[in-house]
Amino acid sequence: MQIDPRIKSRPLYDPVVIRPKAKKHLFIGAGAELDALYASLPQEQCIRVAGGADGLTEALRAELDKVFETLPLASAVYVCGSEGFMWDIRNLSLAAGLADEQVQMCEPTTKERRLFCTHCYEITEGVTHSPQACSACGRLLLVRDHYSKLHGAYVGVQINAEDPADIPETEELV
Amino acid sequence: MSTDSIRVRVSGIEQVSPLIREFTLEAIDGEFLAFSPGSHVVVEMPAEPRPHRNAYSLLSDPRDSGCYRIAVRLQEQSRGGSVYMHESVKVGDELSITPPANLFAPNWNAGKHLLLAGGVGITPFMAYLPELKRRGADFELHYLYRGSSTGAYREQLKAELGEQCFLYDSEAGQRCALGELLADQPRGTHVYICGPEELIAGVREVTEELGWPASHVHFEAFAAPQPGKPFEVELSRSGRTVKVDGETTLLEALEDAEVDVPHLCRGGVCGQCVTRVLSGDIEHRDEFLSAAEREQGDCIMPCVSRASGKRLVIDL
Ligand code: FES
């Protein structure tokens, strides 16, 4: 057994590889890594859905719902985009009956994080620094490295609960 | 045993196929616990020179805590547990069992459950079915057997399940075309296999070839411990040496020597008994260690695996 030097509670993004026995390959988002994989497969086995730059919009979701309906059991999904977007796609795939190992994610396209407030349960997008004020309740949240797969977000806890007047210095997130 | 055992009385015995006997067990003190479908218990039978301990799936309705039922197929080639159950156990006898443990639970997120039973492998599914029906789940049962020896409960199942039940009597030339069956399943299907090793291996191969996600393929693969060559094991912490004869498992030999090893399934699947090996070659017979872990050669599952040479040194 070896310990991965990367932080354990953060998701790891290994290189995306083609699932060789899949009958349908669904590519979501844009990116050189996806382009290369897409080009390596026979066209009739592939479905390509653009978008994702603005996250999982209603329109994209409606389009994907239709696409998922057509996928056979032996499918593979490859997604590129922000971390939060890729996990939204993963959760959509599981709801459509696919397994975790059928969904592969590229390295996130940005360092921006989606933040889940453990106090009011609301989401703040595009977080680059910690602490960060929650967009809903305004509490100053420490951005933890702990990732919630269900929310596709990092967990934020109030950093100055004892004394809200105490404003710690901000650090840039990596 | 690692877990507190439960004393039970055999309150009924029924021959459910030419080679399979069903035993109804009642708790001697108090009531049983409800269990989850797919659970098994390890039955301890008082035999000489040491008790037999075999794992059997519970086949009664999981919500019925009044009694537990198990079914035992007579295995002439085995190390004796099933022969003991068939020949020595009578109504009114007392036995010990472990509390139920589950290594073969249904995945309730499945869109469809495809159950594949081979012979006495029907037993865990007998406990699945009432729960699948209560939840209104989509399922099919495909049951492969030999009419003259196994095939327990088949009439009852056909009557209760109708079109959701597919029977294949190999002696009547009825074959289940696994490739077709598994190719033609909707997204979200999970398949569960319980039966002989060849059936499990066959389904795993076919599903892999068809591109199924491995996490949607579930199997119950208790390896009944098989005899092997005798060997010696040195316990590094005490410096003691324990002899393991050909008919005895390493786990049993350690227990005879009063060395405690945690265990649960005694069939090479649960992972509880994993023990560090300091030197000596291992003949891995379990379903728990990964190929990479086997390769490393520093761990053994003593409930089923053995030394491939004459001596092992283990970290106990
Ligand atoms: S006791 Fe379960 S693997 Fe050995």
Side-chain angles (χ1 to χ4, degrees):
Chain A
M1 296 261 293
Q2 279 225 328
I3 294 174
D4 197 299
R6 290 176 287 187
I7 297 165
K8 245 208 191 141
S9 53
R10 282 188 76 170
L12 308 175
Y13 300 94
D14 292 320
V16 175
V17 289
I18 293 291
R19 255 179 95 78
K21 308 281 188 202
K23 308 251 182 304
K24 270 280 187 253
H25 303 264
L26 170 58
F27 294 85
I28 305 171
E33 202 177 353
L34 290 193
D35 292 341
L37 293 171
Y38 181 73
S40 71
L41 289 167
Q43 283 295 296
E44 65 278 10
Q45 290 183 13
C46 296
I47 306 172
R48 182 125 205 205
V49 175
D54 312 318
L56 187 57
T57 57
E58 295 254 317
L60 180 57
R61 200 197 151 121
E63 181 180 357
L64 286 173
D65 281 344
K66 284 205 203 92
V67 174
F68 276 121
E69 272 309 303
T70 67
L71 290 184
L73 185 149
S75 295
V77 176
Y78 314 89
V79 55
C80 184
S82 72
E83 190 169 40
F85 172 70
M86 294 195 296
W87 284 88
D88 287 342
I89 296 297
R90 176 262 195 183
N91 289 338
L92 216 54
S93 305
L94 295 200
L98 298 185
D100 248 324
E101 67 264 36
Q102 291 177 289
V103 184
Q104 293 182 69
M105 302 177 212
C106 300
E107 192 71 39
T109 48
T110 110
K111 285 201 172 30
E112 290 180 5
R113 299 193 189 188
R114 178 187 287 171
L115 185 61
F116 174 79
C117 175
T118 51
H119 309 281
C120 76
Y121 304 160
E122 291 296 329
I123 291 286
T124 304
E125 294 279 358
V127 174
T128 55
H129 288 75
S130 177
Q132 159 79 39
C134 170
S135 58
C137 70
R139 286 187 182 88
L140 199 57
L141 302 176
L142 169 74
V143 181
R144 297 193 46 217
D145 267 337
H146 182 70
Y147 198 75
S148 158
K149 294 182 174 182
L150 186 66
H151 298 100
Y154 291 87
V155 170
V157 280
Q158 188 172 7
I159 195 165
N160 53 2
E162 308 262 290
D163 176 10
D166 174 18
I167 313 279
E169 256 176 70
T170 45
E171 278 173 40
E172 185 167 356
L173 294 165
V174 287
Chain B
M1 294 198 180
S2 300
T3 33
D4 292 336
S5 57
I6 306 171
R7 297 292 299 165
V8 300
R9 181 175 295 114
V10 177
S11 63
I13 300 180
E14 202 185 323
Q15 195 78 33
V16 286
S17 88
L19 286 185
I20 301 175
R21 244 172 215 221
E22 181 193 284
F23 297 82
T24 304
L25 311 175
E26 282 176 3
I28 291 176
D29 306 306
E31 271 222 331
F32 285 133
L33 295 170
F35 58 94
S36 54
S39 297
H40 68 272
V41 296
V42 176
V43 178
E44 179 174 316
M45 305 154 227
E48 290 299 329
R50 79 172 61 76
H52 296 296
R53 287 164 173 171
N54 286 13
Y56 296 110
S57 297
L58 294 174
L59 65 88
S60 34
D61 185 333
R63 298 220 188 154
D64 178 3
S65 48
C67 69
Y68 285 167
R69 287 185 292 135
I70 57 171
V72 179
R73 184 198 197 281
L74 184 63
Q75 313 270 11
E76 297 287 3
Q77 306 314 339
S78 82
R79 297 185 322 133
S82 72
V83 175
Y84 186 95
M85 288 300 286
H86 274 248
E87 288 172 5
S88 306
V89 174
K90 304 279 175 284
V91 171
D93 283 2
E94 290 187 12
L95 296 166
S96 286
I97 64 171
T98 58
N102 200 342
L103 300 168
F104 191 51
N107 183 319
W108 294 116
N109 292 324
K112 176 178 174 182
H113 304 265
L114 188 63
L115 316 181
L116 287 182
V120 75
I122 189 66
T123 50
F125 300 135
M126 297 297 286
Y128 272 45
L129 292 166
E131 201 58 39
L132 288 167
K133 282 196 263 177
R134 276 192 287 262
R135 293 177 184 235
D138 184 6
F139 70 89
E140 276 174 22
L141 171 68
H142 294 258
Y143 184 12
L144 293 67
Y145 56 90
R146 262 190 212 107
S148 70
S149 53
T150 59
Y153 313 114
R154 62 181 187 266
E155 281 104 17
Q156 168 196 339
L157 287 166
K158 189 73 206 166
E160 278 173 23
L161 304 177
E163 308 234 294
Q164 283 168 295
C165 176
F166 300 79
L167 300 176
Y168 310 88
D169 180 352
S170 63
E171 283 166 356
Q174 297 157 348
R175 300 255 175 248
C176 175
L178 285 177
E180 276 166 48
L181 176 66
L182 293 162
D184 191 25
Q185 295 299 328
R187 202 178 57 251
T189 306
H190 284 241
V191 61
Y192 308 86
I193 318 127
C194 185
E197 263 170 67
E198 311 83 72
L199 179 66
I200 296 171
V203 174
R204 287 174 78 182
E205 219 168 89
V206 172
T207 49
E208 200 190 322
E209 196 48 46
L210 290 170
W212 277 62
S215 65
H216 285 197
V217 181
H218 312 267
F219 48 92
E220 177 93 302
F222 285 120
Q226 300 297 322
K229 293 215 179 68
F231 62 97
E232 277 182 1
V233 48
E234 184 184 318
L235 312 179
S236 68
R237 296 188 201 172
S238 61
R240 283 169 68 192
T241 297
V242 173
K243 285 190 174 13
V244 186
D245 69 44
E247 291 297 311
T248 306
T249 67
L250 174 52
L251 178 61
E252 289 166 344
L254 292 169
E255 286 169 340
D256 290 351
E258 279 164 21
V259 181
D260 253 347
V261 181
H263 58 267
L264 193 58
C265 70
R266 305 184 79 94
V269 291
C270 74
Q272 281 285 312
C273 66
V274 64
T275 302
R276 262 188 16 113
V277 173
L278 301 173
S279 75
D281 292 331
I282 307 162
E283 187 185 326
H284 294 285
R285 296 176 171 186
D286 62 279
E287 282 285 343
F288 179 78
L289 295 174
S290 67
E293 288 167 328
R294 287 178 171 214
E295 195 68 27
Q296 280 189 6
D298 59 1
C299 282
I300 188 168
M301 312 308 293
C303 61
V304 290
S305 297
R306 312 179 63 86
S308 58
K310 291 205 156 36
R311 195 175 174 83
L312 276 186
V313 182
I314 59 177
D315 184 17
L316 278 179

